[in-house]
Amino acid sequence: MNQQAARRGSAAWALVITSVAGFMAALDNLVVTTALPSIRKDLGGALEDLEWTVSAYTLTFAVLLMFGAALGDRFGRRKLFTAGLAIFTGASAAAALAPGIDALIAARAVQGVGAAVMMPLTLTLLTAAVPAARRGAALGIFSAVTGLAVASGPLIGGSLTEHISWQWIFWLNVPIGLALLPLARLRLDESYAPNARIDVPGTLLVSGGLFGIVYALVNGNADGWTSTPVLGGLIVGTALLAGFVYHGFNNKNPMLPMRLFRNRAFFGINIASLLMFLGMFGSIFLLSQFLQGVAGYSPTEAGLRMLPWTGMPLIVAPIAGYLSDKIGGRPVVATGLALQAIGLGLFALVLEPGVSYAAQLPGLILGGIGMALYFAPAASVVMSSVRPAEQGIASGANNALREVGGALGVAVLGAVFAARGGYETADAFTDGTVPALWIGAGAVALAALTALLIPGRRTAAAGDQEPSPAAEEREPIAV
């Protein structure tokens, strides 16, 4: 009886520790968006500096996420989780103390490193601690807490920025991290994965490739698209990513086995995820600044006004989950992405310096409903597209591609904004934001079309009856 009580206590502690850690890491994806105007006013910096304030976190998070999981499997998940948490907490303090924009960008990059080590191990540690019979409920609570972080990010960031200072969006992490560190050491059990292998060449290839491309996109307008650094970034970055793909096909144990993309469901949901985050994150980056710099709202008011978009998944997700169980994931995901594309398009149609909030509301609500319809079935589609032994790799790949999409979205839409407008006047800001939003809407619309590659319920059921899993791997990418 005491042993069962100890197990229950261990599971409860694991749920609390991993959920709070996951909340912090997810919060830092969006918490900075409503603080950007205040950061720019206080520390200075051009558009590209603000882009790096966001992308330095998402990019390091994306490219090191699967590497961080592999380190935990090899050297101990609790040990690496606490190391990642310590790095994240220390980098948060460094960001709060940053004397200039360059120091802030560097601290944000280190934050991403800590999150990349910490985040993939939260689910592994939670799954190991919770008995199978209660695992679904525990994972549901964890997902709800993470969703709450995404929903409340702009509001928390805006409130702290307005009522205290923008530095407090980072100081907030420090006492929480310091409290979690001893709890993780005392309350989480250590675990390892047998024969875990670390793909250093793959990590270096994808890291260098994505950095080169994002660097070129962010600095293209300022330095000139034909300048040596920008052209070099595009050419070298593309070559390194091509090398990463080749490595994924030919290496025995790559961090991302490219053969998985031969499966229609895996290809469809992952490419759709990348495109959706590209359109969504790039749009939020600009719209959060529009609401303050052009519409004249305070940081808190801007965060509140974004809630119909970022908070809608908390309301609609249960309905979306029910629908996906009834009719399958493909129609729900595709419909959600289509609604989000329409929402961004409505925003682009009404946006002008004197636009009322009532005119913005339909775009916000449609975008939020669309986001919820995508998120609820996406994880299930990813997991069901691969064998059970490959679900960890599949989940890590999907999360990494989402973060890559976010970094690319800020870079691509920021480049469009810089080419067509600027910060000089309200009209200039609007002139740059509108075409960027159309690009974002187009990316999400393309994501909706890509989601149609996911096999329908009958096709998937037929595939489940195949005698050999290899047949699924050889399935061509076609509708």
Side-chain angles (χ1 to χ4, degrees):
M1 193 74 168
N2 288 336
Q3 206 171 21
Q4 288 180 343
R7 275 201 205 102
R8 282 197 297 272
S10 175
W13 275 112
L15 178 59
V16 170
I17 293 166
T18 57
S19 294
V20 174
F23 182 90
M24 282 199 307
L27 186 71
D28 268 60
N29 259 333
L30 284 177
V31 73
V32 76
T33 54
T34 41
L36 287 173
S38 297
I39 291 172
R40 180 170 174 264
K41 184 179 178 181
D42 193 11
L43 298 183
L47 171 66
E48 54 267 27
D49 297 311
L50 295 184
E51 291 180 54
W52 278 117
T53 303
V54 177
S55 295
Y57 179 82
T58 55
L59 199 57
T60 52
F61 190 5
V63 299
L64 296 176
L65 192 148
M66 298 182 74
F67 187 67
L71 286 174
D73 290 343
R74 177 75 174 271
F75 299 109
R77 290 161 179 154
R78 183 188 66 187
K79 187 186 299 179
L80 265 294
F81 172 80
T82 53
L85 180 59
I87 292 169
F88 183 87
T89 304
S92 296
L97 293 168
I101 194 73
D102 292 337
L104 176 60
I105 292 168
R108 288 283 287 164
V110 178
Q111 261 193 317
V113 173
V117 175
M118 174 177 70
M119 268 302 283
L121 298 175
T122 54
L123 284 176
T124 313
L125 289 164
L126 181 59
T127 302
V130 178
R134 291 188 287 144
R135 200 167 289 155
L139 292 173
I141 293 170
F142 178 90
S143 298
V145 172
T146 305
L148 182 63
V150 174
S152 60
L155 178 59
I156 291 174
S159 299
L160 289 172
T161 298
E162 181 178 351
H163 298 295
I164 309 178
S165 71
W166 64 262
Q167 285 88 348
W168 275 90
I169 65 176
F170 302 114
W171 280 127
L172 179 68
N173 296 326
V174 176
I176 298 173
L178 290 176
L180 287 180
L181 282 168
L183 288 175
R185 181 71 181 85
L186 295 171
R187 298 292 182 177
L188 295 177
D189 295 328
E190 186 61 280
S191 64
Y192 301 84
N195 303 318
R197 301 195 179 190
I198 297 170
D199 183 11
V200 176
T203 302
L204 292 174
L205 285 169
V206 72
S207 302
L210 286 170
F211 177 81
I213 289 173
V214 171
Y215 174 87
L217 290 170
V218 168
N219 292 282
N221 284 297
D223 296 347
W225 291 99
T226 58
S227 66
T228 301
V230 171
L231 274 180
L234 288 172
I235 294 168
V236 174
T238 302
L240 289 174
L241 286 183
F244 176 71
V245 172
Y246 179 84
H247 176 81
F249 275 119
N250 294 280
N251 191 270
K252 188 177 179 181
N253 291 292
M255 63 186 293
L256 179 56
M258 290 296 158
R259 60 181 172 75
L260 294 177
F261 286 94
R262 293 172 181 158
N263 178 283
R264 275 174 51 192
F266 188 83
F267 178 89
I269 190 62
N270 279 288
I271 301 304
S273 296
L274 185 149
L275 290 168
M276 193 281 269
F277 269 69
L278 189 156
M280 181 189 75
F281 260 81
S283 300
I284 288 176
F285 172 77
L286 293 171
L287 287 173
S288 60
Q289 296 182 74
F290 176 89
L291 290 172
Q292 294 177 66
V294 178
Y297 298 120
S298 70
T300 304
E301 290 171 340
L304 278 170
R305 279 160 176 76
M306 291 185 76
L307 276 179
W309 189 7
T310 58
M312 192 62 71
L314 295 177
I315 301 170
V316 181
I319 302 169
Y322 173 79
L323 286 173
S324 66
D325 288 340
K326 288 292 183 185
I327 63 176
R330 178 173 72 172
V332 180
V333 169
T335 301
L337 292 169
L339 287 175
Q340 195 172 10
I342 293 169
L344 288 175
L346 287 176
F347 242 118
L349 284 172
V350 303
L351 214 63
E352 59 182 13
V355 64
S356 68
Y357 182 64
Q360 301 171 47
L361 207 50
L364 287 167
I365 293 173
L366 271 183
I369 293 172
M371 195 190 304
L373 290 176
Y374 158 81
F375 273 125
S380 176
V381 172
V382 170
M383 292 304 195
S384 63
S385 69
V386 297
R387 299 185 185 92
E390 295 172 327
Q391 286 182 344
I393 294 173
S395 176
N398 185 254
N399 283 316
L401 285 168
R402 289 180 182 184
E403 298 296 331
V404 168
L408 288 174
V410 172
V412 171
L413 270 63
V416 174
F417 170 85
R420 300 294 297 273
Y423 287 101
E424 296 80 16
T425 64
D427 285 328
F429 196 97
T430 306
D431 289 343
T433 303
V434 169
L437 287 180
W438 282 120
I439 297 294
V444 182
L446 184 57
L449 293 174
T450 307
L452 296 176
L453 290 172
I454 301 167
R457 171 165 285 183
R458 289 182 183 176
T459 307
D464 289 342
Q465 296 168 4
E466 292 292 328
S468 170
E472 184 184 36
E473 292 177 10
R474 292 193 301 269
E475 185 180 33
I477 300 168
V479 181

